[in-house]
Amino acid sequence: MEPFPGNFLSKLPKTGTSIFAVMSKMAADHKAINLSQGFPDFEVSPGLIGLVEKYMNKGMNQYAPMQGILPLREIITTKVKEAYSADYHPETEINITAGGTQALSSVIEAFVKDDDEVIIFEPAYDSYSPVVKLNNGIVKYAELRQPDYHIDWMEVRKLITAHTRMIIINSPHNPTGSVLKPSDMAELIRLTDNTDILVLSDEVYEHLIYDGIRHESVSRYPQLACRSFVVGSFGKTFHATGWKLGFVLAPENLMAEFRKTHQFIVFTCNTPIQYALAEFMKDKSTYQNLHNFYQEKRDHFVGLLAKSRFEVIPSHGTYFQLLSYRNISGKKDTEMAEWLITEYGIAAIPVSAFYNKKNDYQVLRFCFAKKDETLEKEARLLCRI
Ligand code: PMP
Ligand code: GLN
């Protein structure tokens, strides 16, 4: 194909391909164990797959309502009420989305416009800032403070101006596995009180939180819930990242605005999977015990690394584990990631990819949503380094 002969200006001139796509391709090219992109290497529950098949065979194959099917929204209402004592009306305050990613971008698109400022904490999941920029917003970066990657609220206070439109938080946090505490929520309430600032709370790992820690959903706090969008992902909770189904919660007046963008981005999402989830989730054990399952995986992986020269940076949530290689090599993290793939057949994500200025602290992110045998094979290799 001949290239386009005319001129055009890139809307995202500095944006390349997502690190997840880059590393997964490199892993496939080198036949490496892929602990880079976050996805499980074990199967979705056969019960859930059976339900998808059931609803496909029953003919639930045409457009679902724009908001998502009501039974699934009703299940979410119950789940959020029980978990966080929050009331979200299934008709007006819940929407099903094409994964957390679409929820996040549709929220940003609905509210961020010329020169609006959006505060994002780094290291940050990669989808937030490009969407802010696409909508002519300005990203203000606040750096999470090591070693435990906590928020420096004094820094946030300094970043807030009359133009601050939104603060994006993410707990449990990708890539670090840090989690917000009640004291963080109190700070967020104080900083946003009497302002027009919206909070976009990425809670896709709400069920992956360990060590007996309570998930601090913004929905628990009425002073925050009234100005917040909460984003969830069925892909994370049901080991089905490829299904791309998620949801978003918000008070009615914010949700009405969200739906204006959502309807023209996807209009509606996969119908049979929504019916299958609505039936599957009636059994609460399908998601309520997930933290035990993943905590065992984390502990197994970390235990296997006890004799390695990597330094484990504690992860309290998500299915990611950060490892520092400060004591092993002076390489840049991108070089180290490449070296691990080519020399040892292990793919991990260099954490500098999650920073706007590519800050390199010599830390790599590993996904432990893997079969025990995968983790054991991986750990054996890591212990040889
Ligand atoms: N937010 C974070 C922090 C994530 O790690 C992911 C996973 N890709 C998403 C959002 C998007 O979720 P989904 O796969 O449902 O689009
Ligand atoms: N959330 C996953 C991760 O952080 C994958 C996201 C993606 O591939 N876009 O690895």
Side-chain angles (χ1 to χ4, degrees), residues 189-368:
I189 290 169
R190 253 195 296 281
L191 284 187
T192 53
D193 188 32
N194 283 319
T195 70
D196 295 329
I197 298 172
L198 300 173
V199 174
L200 174 52
S201 185
D202 180 345
E203 302 185 15
V204 298
Y205 298 103
E206 64 179 317
H207 296 295
L208 281 69
I209 184 159
Y210 318 125
D211 308 313
I213 300 171
R214 183 180 97 149
H215 171 53
E216 294 304 316
S217 174
V218 291
S219 65
R220 286 186 190 279
Y221 299 89
Q223 308 97 307
L224 288 176
C226 65
R227 61 174 71 248
S228 296
F229 282 91
V230 181
V231 171
S233 168
F234 297 113
K236 308 289 173 199
T237 305
F238 297 107
H239 315 312
T241 59
W243 288 3
K244 295 303 296 185
L245 212 59
F247 62 90
V248 62
L249 317 174
E252 182 173 351
N253 57 345
L254 296 183
M255 183 59 78
E257 218 45 43
F258 168 87
R259 286 177 176 167
K260 291 183 192 171
T261 60
H262 167 83
Q263 65 185 339
F264 297 122
I265 293 175
V266 286
F267 181 63
T268 178
C269 310
N270 191 306
T271 308
I273 295 180
Q274 292 190 54
Y275 278 104
L277 282 170
E279 186 168 335
F280 192 67
M281 289 174 71
K282 283 185 190 155
D283 174 2
K284 294 171 191 157
S285 70
T286 55
Y287 55 88
Q288 279 179 342
N289 300 325
L290 199 60
H291 56 108
N292 293 328
F293 171 78
Y294 274 120
Q295 181 165 329
E296 273 175 29
K297 295 244 169 252
R298 180 202 62 178
D299 292 347
H300 188 49
F301 185 48
V302 168
L304 291 165
L305 293 174
K307 291 209 176 80
S308 88
R309 292 161 69 208
F310 286 90
E311 186 191 325
V312 172
I313 299 173
S315 165
H316 300 293
T318 74
Y319 40 48
F320 302 116
Q321 176 62 61
L322 295 189
L323 298 179
S324 160
Y325 60 90
R326 269 180 284 254
N327 303 327
I328 301 177
S329 164
K331 285 191 201 320
K332 280 165 54 174
D333 66 357
T334 43
E335 291 165 0
M336 188 69 177
E338 203 170 326
W339 183 73
L340 281 182
I341 290 189
T342 50
E343 295 296 315
Y344 287 88
I346 303 169
I349 301 275
V351 172
S352 62
F354 296 86
Y355 289 91
N356 174 44
K357 297 228 163 94
K358 307 297 166 217
N359 306 11
D360 182 1
Y361 297 103
Q362 299 193 292
V363 175
L364 299 172
R365 190 198 78 174
F366 295 79
C367 173
F368 57 78

Side-chain angles (χ1 to χ4, degrees), residues 20 36-38 125 174 205 236 320 365:
F20 307 115
S36 61
Q37 194 178 23
Y125 184 60
N174 180 7
Y205 298 103
K236 308 289 173 199
F320 302 116
R365 190 198 78 174

Side-chain angles (χ1 to χ4, degrees), residues 42-221:
F42 39 84
E43 272 316 314
V44 174
S45 155
L48 181 52
I49 290 189
L51 288 170
V52 175
E53 202 181 343
K54 170 177 142 183
Y55 285 106
M56 283 186 168
N57 285 328
K58 273 180 95 173
M60 303 306 204
N61 298 307
Q62 308 310 328
Y63 295 127
M66 187 262 275
Q67 307 89 317
I69 64 155
L70 186 58
L72 185 55
R73 286 181 279 136
E74 284 171 343
I75 286 271
I76 295 172
T77 294
T78 311
K79 176 175 107 71
V80 177
K81 172 94 187 150
E82 286 176 6
Y84 311 124
S85 309
D87 287 309
Y88 285 93
H89 197 285
E91 285 289 0
T92 52
E93 299 182 314
I94 300 181
N95 216 100
I96 306 303
T97 60
T101 310
Q102 184 246 313
L104 292 163
S105 58
S106 296
V107 170
I108 297 169
E109 179 149 31
F111 290 93
V112 174
K113 56 180 174 16
D114 298 344
D115 297 333
D116 280 347
E117 294 173 2
V118 178
I119 297 177
I120 291 178
F121 298 96
E122 289 193 309
Y125 184 60
D126 69 345
S127 80
Y128 313 144
S129 67
V131 187
V132 172
K133 290 172 193 164
L134 276 175
N135 289 287
N136 297 326
I138 298 167
V139 180
K140 297 280 177 173
Y141 295 97
E143 188 168 339
L144 296 175
R145 301 292 170 186
Q146 296 183 39
D148 58 351
Y149 294 96
H150 67 270
I151 293 177
D152 176 348
W153 289 104
M154 286 297 284
E155 185 188 4
V156 182
R157 186 176 293 275
K158 286 186 202 141
L159 289 178
I160 290 179
T161 71
H163 300 288
T164 308
R165 171 76 287 184
M166 187 179 284
I167 300 179
I168 304 181
I169 57 171
N170 169 217
S171 180
H173 182 256
N174 180 7
T176 68
S178 65
V179 294
L180 293 178
K181 300 190 178 78
S183 56
D184 293 306
M185 307 317 271
E187 291 284 1
L188 190 56
I189 290 169
R190 253 195 296 281
L191 284 187
T192 53
D193 188 32
N194 283 319
T195 70
D196 295 329
I197 298 172
L198 300 173
V199 174
L200 174 52
S201 185
D202 180 345
E203 302 185 15
V204 298
Y205 298 103
E206 64 179 317
H207 296 295
L208 281 69
I209 184 159
Y210 318 125
D211 308 313
I213 300 171
R214 183 180 97 149
H215 171 53
E216 294 304 316
S217 174
V218 291
S219 65
R220 286 186 190 279
Y221 299 89

